[in-house]
Amino acid sequence: YGAAANPALPPVPVLVHPPTLHESGASRVVPFDLSALLGVEGRACTSPNLMAAFVRVKVGDSLETVARATSQAFFVIRGSGVSATAEHGKVRWSTGDLFVLPSTRGAVLHECVEAEMGGAALYWIHDEPL
């Protein structure tokens, strides 16, 4: 566990993921994949033990996210809506909320009800790379 929780890493520069990545466009996941910088092969990751991404969901649209992880956290940057799983039911959210889902076998379906800039923005982080 210690090696997975605190692995030796090459130097990684500070990187900025600007809000322009989630302010417009289609519903999508924008992964922060640093696997090439970290020398990690075969899987996308932000660090060897986590993955982070922006999730944009246009108003009136829905988008599924899937992670084989022990848990998933979502911070609502902008908008309001609902996220649902077959196992854990629905979570209603709005700007400033943080919600965490336990291990989920299937997808999480995110629906945006209302948002500035035409779509909700979520910051999503999970431990699938472990």
Side-chain angles (χ1 to χ4, degrees):
Y1 173 81
N6 193 20
L9 298 173
V12 178
V14 173
L15 301 172
V16 175
H17 302 285
T20 54
L21 294 173
H22 61 69
E23 290 178 336
S24 63
S27 296
R28 65 191 182 281
V29 174
V30 181
F32 303 162
D33 183 8
L34 303 181
S35 56
L37 284 172
L38 298 172
V40 174
E41 295 181 17
R43 68 185 195 277
C45 63
T46 304
S47 80
N49 54 15
L50 70 84
M51 185 66 199
F54 287 138
V55 177
R56 175 175 167 76
V57 186
K58 291 177 64 174
V59 173
D61 201 1
S62 63
L63 179 73
E64 287 187 342
T65 57
V66 178
R68 291 185 354 224
T70 61
S71 63
Q72 303 176 62
F74 296 88
F75 176 74
V76 183
I77 298 168
R78 178 185 63 254
S80 62
V82 61
S83 295
T85 71
E87 296 168 86
H88 308 297
K90 293 182 179 182
V91 175
R92 297 194 185 285
W93 43 262
S94 61
T95 301
D97 287 347
L98 171 70
F99 63 97
V100 179
L101 299 174
S103 181
T104 303
R105 288 189 191 108
V108 181
L109 180 66
H110 308 278
E111 297 180 49
C112 177
V113 176
E114 183 178 16
E116 296 174 7
M117 299 183 171
L122 309 174
Y123 175 72
W124 175 35
I125 191 164
H126 58 79
D127 63 0
E128 181 176 351
L130 277 176

